[in-house]
Each structure stands twice: as C-alpha cells, then as structure tokens.
Amino acid sequence: MMQNDAALQDEKAAPSYPMPRVCPVDPPPQLAGLRAGPAASKVTLWDGSQVWLVTSHAGVRAVLGDRRFTAVTSAPGFPMLTRTSQLVRAAPHTASFIRMDDPDHSRLRSMLTRDFLARRAEEMRPVLRELLDEMLSALVSSGERPVDLVTGLTTAVPSKVITLLFGVSEGDFIESRSAILIDRGYTPDQVASARDELDGFLRELVEQRVADPGTDLVSRLVTEQVRPGRLSVEELVPMCRLLLVAGHGTTASQAALSLLSLATDPNLAGALAKDESLLPKAVDELLRFHSIVQNGLARAAVEDVRLDDVTIRAGEGVVLSLAAGNRDEGVFPSPDTLDPHRDARRHLAFGHGIHQCLGQWLAKVEIEEMLAAVLRWMPGVRLAVPFEELDFRHEVSSYGLGALPVTW
C-alpha cells in the first residue's frame, strides 16, 4: 500500500472539503464518495487548517501501521481536531502513552498489557453478571416504565468496573470528570480544570498506594514499576487517567448505541434471543456499525509517504475516519446493514497497529454481558419514545446517547 519515494514530484494542489461530520447511526453520504476517490482527500478543520482525510479500510490500516506517522501532538502539522485537543500540545507532560511513539509508548503500555488480556477480561464475567442482575432487577422491580438505560445501566457499569480495578469508591467523581474530558461542549479552561482535578485525585491515590499497597491495579503498578524506578509518578498519573476516561466514556457510548440497536432492530433482537452464542460476533458487528469515535484518529507524517495515488508530505496532518473505514463495502458487503451473523472481526473500532485499544477485550465482555442481561430481564425491549426524539451526543468525541428510554 505504501512505499518510500525519495524523488517525489510536486503534485497539483488537491481540492479541500469541509471535514465531514460523522454520525455513526446515519453516516454522511460524502464519506462513501471520498472512499471512491483518491486514497486521501484534503479537508478543512474547524481552525481553518487543511489535513488529509483517509476513509478506506485499507488506507486507515496502512497509516496506523506505519511508523512514519506520529501520534505525538507536538509534531509539526499534527491535526488539532477540537479546540480542547490543544491542551495536550500546550502541556505535553500531561499526555498519556497513546500520544507517544515508540520506544516510550511500548515501555509504558507493556506495563499494563497483562491486566487487559482476553483471559483477564473473561475472569470479569461472573462479577459483571452478578452486578448486572442486581442493577436490572432493581430497574424492573421498581415498577417504573419507561426506564433510562443510559443512567440506569450503560454509564453505571463501566464506572463500577473502573472503581473495582482501581480499588476506589469515588465512581461519581470519576464519571463526572471523565465526561467533561470527552465533551466538546466545554471550554478549554473547563476541560483543563476537570483534568487537573482528576490528576490531583489520582496523585493522591498513588501516594496512598505507595504508603499502603493493596491488590488493585494501581497498587501493582506502584509495587512493580514505581518502587524499582521503572515508572515515575508523573508518568503513572496520565496512564491512570487514560484508563479512567477511555474505560468509562467509550464503553458507555458504545453500550448505549448497542442497546439502541437491540431495542429497534427486530433482526438483531430475535437472533440474540434465539441464540446467545451469537453475542461475541454481534458485538463485533455493533462495534463496526456504530464506530463511535466521531473525529477519527489524528496523525502527522514525519517523512514523505506515498499512499497509493497520493503523496503525504512530512509535516502534513492526517485524519483517519474509523467510521468510514468500517463502512467500506469492499471489506464489508452491504455495510449499512447491521448483520449479527457477519464476521466483522476486521473492524477498525479499536484502531490498528501499536496503538490499538488496550482495553478492547474488557469492553467487548462488558457490552456482551449488558446485551445478555437486558435480554434476560427485559424481553421484548423497545424504545419508549419516537426515534427522532432521542438525544444523540454530537458534542462528545465518542458518539453516544444522552438517554435511552425503553419499555418492554
């Protein structure tokens, strides 16, 4: 797909389009048009800067797998997708390892790998099942209908999982601050304040674990990495923040949209009610279909790279549309159809390459168990309001729902 080209010829300036606004439930038709054109197209961001937009499945994988593209926000040309994304550039010491390249990225990520293996995620199933039965039993027995599955389930479950991993009880505080960090409706000052408050909480937590370690994830990192000098507290705090924010917001958004599909798609609901063994395959398909990362992933070229018929110059920014890649008809026939029987394991919802989502196995287990629990406790679940009245969160970087009122 890509090759070095030391003698690249200057190409004609490519026309620039406004950056398409992505709605995973109803993707804009221009994304399909861009996929049919050159390997990358010039688009204009909110600040007037121009970057390359990659929309094909193969193109997204190629860029994410190529070390000639950097994830470091201070790199020349790195796209600032939102006003608040400039905060990381202004304060690089607050960046987590997803904003680093190797070797720093792999050094820090490897310290967490064993905690998020598929086997460890599977060990969480009994805990999740018990928690979900308790929560849904309370919702069903309350006698109230409709019920909101966002406040009652999809935000509460990821929050509880994170507090279990960290051995803390401040779920509401974590949830509220994490929500601000992914919401483009807040000002940069408000986001910076929420980040600083969350970092302060985490710094105190680390200091507590240094003095009195337990059996939680933070204690293990303190004991095995901080004390021997392999990891500093300044590195551990952003690492923990990443786990809190990514582990809560993205899973909650994907779970809400997955339950929306369950409540509105008779084909999906019928297939899963008949055969729960389809759940892992169906969750991969839901991840492909919804592709909640609205803005895409940003990279910058550190040297000239040829991407099929397009030359991306060193210092130019690239935005990778996971949503468009996941609707690539060359990889997923009839991509706008949600098919629970489809083998969608090649989806891009978790990214690709060295930065592929660390918590993907845990996220999939959480969503599988939430779907299964709703099927058990709310047979015949359906929307309690017209679809047009749903509160889709366009302002949140991981697209989701503000509320999901259902009855059964």
Side-chain angles (χ1 to χ4, degrees):
M1 182 89 187
M2 291 188 181
Q3 59 188 28
N4 282 308
D5 191 348
L8 294 172
Q9 300 297 314
D10 288 337
E11 299 176 351
K12 294 180 180 179
S16 180
Y17 308 92
M19 178 70 176
R21 185 179 187 180
V22 175
C23 170
V25 176
D26 185 20
Q30 62 263 46
L31 288 177
L34 291 175
R35 258 198 321 269
S41 305
K42 280 287 183 73
V43 295
T44 304
L45 299 182
W46 62 274
D47 60 355
S49 63
Q50 292 190 349
V51 299
W52 292 101
L53 176 67
V54 178
T55 55
S56 71
H57 186 275
V60 171
R61 283 176 58 92
V63 173
L64 290 178
D66 194 312
R67 304 296 179 94
R68 292 173 291 174
F69 292 94
T70 180
V72 178
T73 58
S74 60
F78 193 92
M80 293 291 102
L81 297 180
T82 67
R83 289 173 173 81
T84 56
S85 60
Q86 298 179 92
L87 292 172
V88 180
R89 176 178 285 176
H93 63 283
T94 67
S96 63
F97 58 78
I98 63 169
R99 297 300 184 191
M100 300 177 185
D101 295 336
D102 282 346
D104 289 335
H105 166 268
S106 290
R107 177 178 68 85
L108 296 173
R109 180 184 171 113
S110 65
M111 297 177 184
L112 290 168
T113 302
R114 74 188 231 197
D115 299 289
F116 293 94
L117 296 172
R119 173 179 55 80
R120 295 297 293 272
E122 288 296 328
E123 291 172 358
M124 286 292 293
R125 277 194 196 273
V127 176
L128 279 167
R129 212 161 281 175
E130 182 178 352
L131 172 65
L132 284 161
D133 282 342
E134 179 182 326
M135 294 172 70
L136 282 164
S137 174
L139 283 176
V140 170
S141 63
S142 70
E144 295 183 10
R145 295 194 193 187
V147 298
D148 176 16
L149 291 183
V150 168
T151 56
L153 196 67
T154 62
T155 58
V157 172
S159 180
K160 181 63 175 178
V161 169
I162 288 296
T163 57
L164 289 173
L165 288 175
F166 277 61
V168 297
S169 58
E170 293 87 349
D172 290 343
F173 172 83
I174 292 170
E175 183 180 318
S176 63
R177 300 312 184 273
S178 297
I180 293 172
L181 296 185
I182 64 170
D183 192 329
R184 293 176 296 185
Y186 289 93
T187 67
D189 286 344
Q190 289 172 315
V191 173
S193 178
R195 179 200 62 199
D196 291 345
E197 289 178 12
L198 194 54
D199 284 0
F201 165 78
L202 290 169
R203 194 166 286 106
E204 288 183 13
L205 177 63
V206 170
E207 291 171 356
Q208 291 170 7
R209 297 300 188 261
V210 169
D212 183 22
T215 58
D216 57 274
L217 173 59
V218 180
S219 294
R220 184 187 71 73
L221 291 170
V222 165
T223 301
E224 298 180 7
Q225 306 296 339
V226 175
R227 285 181 174 174
R230 290 187 284 266
L231 179 68
S232 69
V233 172
E234 289 70 27
E235 292 172 319
L236 178 54
V237 168
M239 183 187 294
C240 290
R241 182 188 349 112
L242 170 65
L243 296 178
L244 292 181
V245 176
H248 176 262
T250 54
T251 304
S253 293
Q254 178 64 45
L257 292 178
S258 298
L259 288 172
L260 170 63
S261 290
L262 189 71
T264 57
D265 189 330
N267 181 48
L268 174 67
L272 294 182
K274 183 178 179 180
D275 182 7
E276 280 198 6
S277 69
L278 280 176
L279 274 166
K281 182 175 283 190
V283 167
D284 273 325
E285 172 69 346
L286 286 161
L287 286 159
R288 179 201 71 83
F289 185 79
H290 288 299
S291 302
I292 62 170
V293 180
Q294 284 201 83
N295 301 324
L297 300 181
R299 295 291 186 267
V302 295
E303 60 181 88
D304 292 349
V305 180
R306 187 74 180 177
L307 179 60
D308 279 352
D309 53 352
V310 171
T311 300
I312 299 175
R313 305 287 183 180
E316 290 187 328
V318 184
V319 176
L320 307 156
S321 176
L322 305 184
N326 278 337
R327 297 292 180 105
D328 191 329
E329 58 278 1
V331 180
F332 306 106
S334 302
D336 296 332
T337 299
L338 177 62
D339 180 3
H341 299 278
R342 187 198 305 269
D343 182 357
R345 286 176 293 179
R346 295 182 64 197
H347 68 76
L348 301 165
F350 294 121
H352 176 68
I354 64 171
H355 289 91
Q356 191 172 24
C357 177
L358 179 68
Q360 60 182 287
W361 295 109
L362 181 57
K364 289 202 284 190
V365 167
E366 288 183 52
I367 296 166
E368 286 174 26
E369 290 300 322
M370 278 190 259
L371 288 167
V374 170
L375 285 168
R376 284 197 305 273
W377 287 93
M378 298 176 174
V381 65
R382 61 191 183 278
L383 273 183
V385 299
F387 187 90
E388 296 74 21
E389 293 181 11
L390 291 174
D391 175 23
F392 288 101
R393 307 302 303 278
H394 294 282
E395 72 280 9
V396 179
S397 58
S398 57
Y399 191 86
L401 285 166
L404 180 57
V406 299
T407 189
W408 60 97

